[in-house]
Amino acid sequence: MVTPIISTFAHEKTKLICMETINDFFLLLSSLLWGWPTIVLLLGTHLFLTFRLRIPQRKLFTGIRLSIKKDDKAQGDVSQFGALSTALAATIGTGNIVGVATAVSLGGPGAVLWCWLTGIFGMSTKYAEALLAVKYRVQASDGHTYGGPMYVLERGLHIKWLAILFAVFTALASFGIGCTVQANSIALLARETFGVPTWAVGLVVSVLTASVILGGVKAISRVCMVLVPFMALLYVAGCVVILVLNGSYLWPAVQLIVDSAFNPAAAGGGMVGGTVMMAARYGIARGLFSNESGLGSAPIVAAAAQTRNPVRQALVSSTGTFWDTVVICALTGLVLVSSILAHPDITYADGAALTKVAFSKIPYIGAPLLTFGILTFAFSTILGWSYYGESAVNYIEKKRVNRFYRILYIVALFFGSIINLDIIWNIADCMNALMAIPNLVALLLLSGVAAKETRHYLWQNRLDEESIESGESEE
């Protein structure tokens, strides 16, 4: 009787050690992939494309105007605003709240400036990604339009194997950062705040997601067109209220952010990071992770947009980085730093605690507002990434296994709500970094194509001209 018990115990212990070993491996791999080489490559691409494309950020307001303008006669599955909303649904997430707080906690107030600068220059990369995605998109036999870095790599560079790798990494990432970890965040927050069992939350999230994604990209974009502006405006309103309450500390907060970005001693003794390199590292890393510029995810839905030429949608897509990082992340950073100055009892604690303390300063509604923001941000990420993953799977398997993928995604949501996901987080981080590498290869090697298209449509005032090559039939 004792022997089976000992055997079972030894077997369970072996499995535990094995899981810990795997987790440690992916944790190490993640730290390497998201280390300085990747950060420098991403930021370098931002800077290179900014000047290669003659600073497309100058056309920000043109992009905003186009984003709310219908182009029904153009080819595509969803409107330009629908594509932008779906991309924002995937990028505006917990990274805009807890991620910025973590950057401040680890890198000091100066991390906010580096995060903001990443957004400014990242707009050019998001512009180039969308431009190439639309230029090399295809129309499948089912009538839908597909595109993204995998099609750019195959049709633009003729590197099929790298295109397949990108699609594999994207599909895996969709079940990680886009699905299970978001469901887990929602379930844990609901349990801690409202006492709801995680299985019940998982069931509700799965049903809500199913009601949207089973309708395909058009259904996803319709929901995102309503959800994203609502949740973003509500969160921004909460940030503005806090900044009004901290009004006398707002300008000192701006000064502290700028000063500590280059002189960490200006942050005072509470800062954990302590060096300019730490402020830059965490600010840049969190900014890149938040807006996903260079990751290659947003171009997948940009390719489905109804647009008459690649540059129009490129301008619209670039505004996504502006709203995500230049506006929302910057507001979060100002809220955190001004709250630290206004309330000396707040310290550079861990990111989540720092955010909760800052929002609790709004009487009565502060904590519920933060909870609602995190819940809706996480749910919108689930919707956006479901389309990314489905498109990647469809690229690998030409039979269009849409319904199978959607059902598998919904099932993964439920299990993601009830299990420990430390290892999934680390694997997802690795997949995101591995997505960026082939995408950046395409961006750099095809920068000349992006420059040529930009010169023709943007700088020669031909934005209303219809492209004859966009949306060719898939072979």
Side-chain angles (χ1 to χ4, degrees), residues 42 44-57 120-137 147-149 152-153 292-300 302-303 309-321 439-454 458:
L42 278 163
T45 302
H46 292 350
L47 293 170
F48 170 74
L49 290 173
T50 293
F51 295 105
R52 183 75 170 88
L53 302 176
R54 293 174 52 188
I55 315 180
Q57 292 92 329
I120 290 289
F121 291 108
M123 290 173 62
S124 61
T125 299
K126 190 65 72 72
Y127 168 93
E129 287 178 315
L131 187 157
L132 294 173
V134 174
K135 179 174 176 61
Y136 294 109
R137 68 184 180 179
V152 174
L153 286 161
E292 297 184 7
S293 292
L295 196 64
S297 52
I300 296 174
N309 63 63
V311 171
R312 287 174 71 95
Q313 183 56 35
L315 288 170
V316 172
S317 294
S318 69
T319 65
T321 300
N439 181 57
L440 293 174
V441 169
L443 287 173
L444 294 173
L445 294 181
L446 292 173
S447 61
V449 175
K452 181 181 177 181
E453 296 285 316
T454 301
L458 186 58

Side-chain angles (χ1 to χ4, degrees), residues 344-366:
D345 56 306
I346 299 180
T347 60
Y348 294 89
D350 68 275
L354 183 58
T355 310
K356 288 180 181 178
V357 172
F359 272 82
S360 67
K361 300 304 177 181
I362 304 179
Y364 307 110
I365 65 169

Side-chain angles (χ1 to χ4, degrees), residues 66-83:
L66 290 173
S67 70
I68 57 176
K69 186 177 180 180
K70 288 189 176 182
D71 202 2
D72 294 330
K73 294 182 180 180
Q75 185 178 353
D77 295 338
V78 297
S79 67
Q80 292 183 135
F81 183 68

Side-chain angles (χ1 to χ4, degrees), residues 132-146:
L132 294 173
V134 174
K135 179 174 176 61
Y136 294 109
R137 68 184 180 179
V138 300
Q139 187 174 40
S141 57
D142 60 6
H144 291 298
T145 304
Y146 294 95

Side-chain angles (χ1 to χ4, degrees), residues 246-435:
N246 297 342
S248 59
Y249 297 93
L250 183 56
W251 180 244
V254 173
Q255 291 179 311
L256 179 60
I257 288 170
V258 175
D259 290 344
S260 59
F262 306 102
N263 177 24
M271 194 184 82
V272 176
T275 68
V276 172
M277 294 295 285
M278 291 288 280
R281 176 186 174 185
Y282 287 107
I284 293 171
R286 295 299 172 180
L288 293 171
F289 193 78
S290 172
N291 60 52
E292 297 184 7
S293 292
L295 196 64
S297 52
I300 296 174
V301 70
Q306 295 170 339
T307 183
R308 62 187 69 182
N309 63 63
V311 171
R312 287 174 71 95
Q313 183 56 35
L315 288 170
V316 172
S317 294
S318 69
T319 65
T321 300
F322 171 78
W323 295 122
D324 177 271
T325 306
V326 180
V327 175
I328 295 180
C329 285
L331 281 174
T332 302
L334 284 173
V335 162
L336 296 173
V337 178
S338 64
S339 295
I340 290 171
L341 293 177
H343 306 282
D345 56 306
I346 299 180
T347 60
Y348 294 89
D350 68 275
L354 183 58
T355 310
K356 288 180 181 178
V357 172
F359 272 82
S360 67
K361 300 304 177 181
I362 304 179
Y364 307 110
I365 65 169
L369 178 63
L370 177 62
T371 299
F372 179 80
I374 293 176
L375 290 176
T376 53
F377 281 14
F379 181 67
S380 71
T381 300
I382 290 171
L383 297 182
W385 268 92
S386 71
Y387 180 71
Y388 296 162
E390 181 179 320
S391 298
V393 171
N394 281 338
Y395 178 80
I396 299 169
E397 175 51 67
K398 299 299 183 183
K399 293 181 181 179
R400 311 293 174 202
V401 288
N402 303 42
R403 190 164 295 276
F404 173 77
Y405 172 84
R406 294 168 191 171
I407 293 173
L408 190 61
Y409 195 83
I410 293 164
V411 172
L413 280 173
F414 177 77
F415 285 101
S417 302
I418 60 177
I419 61 176
N420 187 297
L421 291 178
D422 287 344
I423 188 171
I424 302 298
W425 267 109
N426 293 326
I427 294 174
D429 283 345
C430 293
M431 293 304 107
N432 282 345
L434 291 172
M435 283 174 63

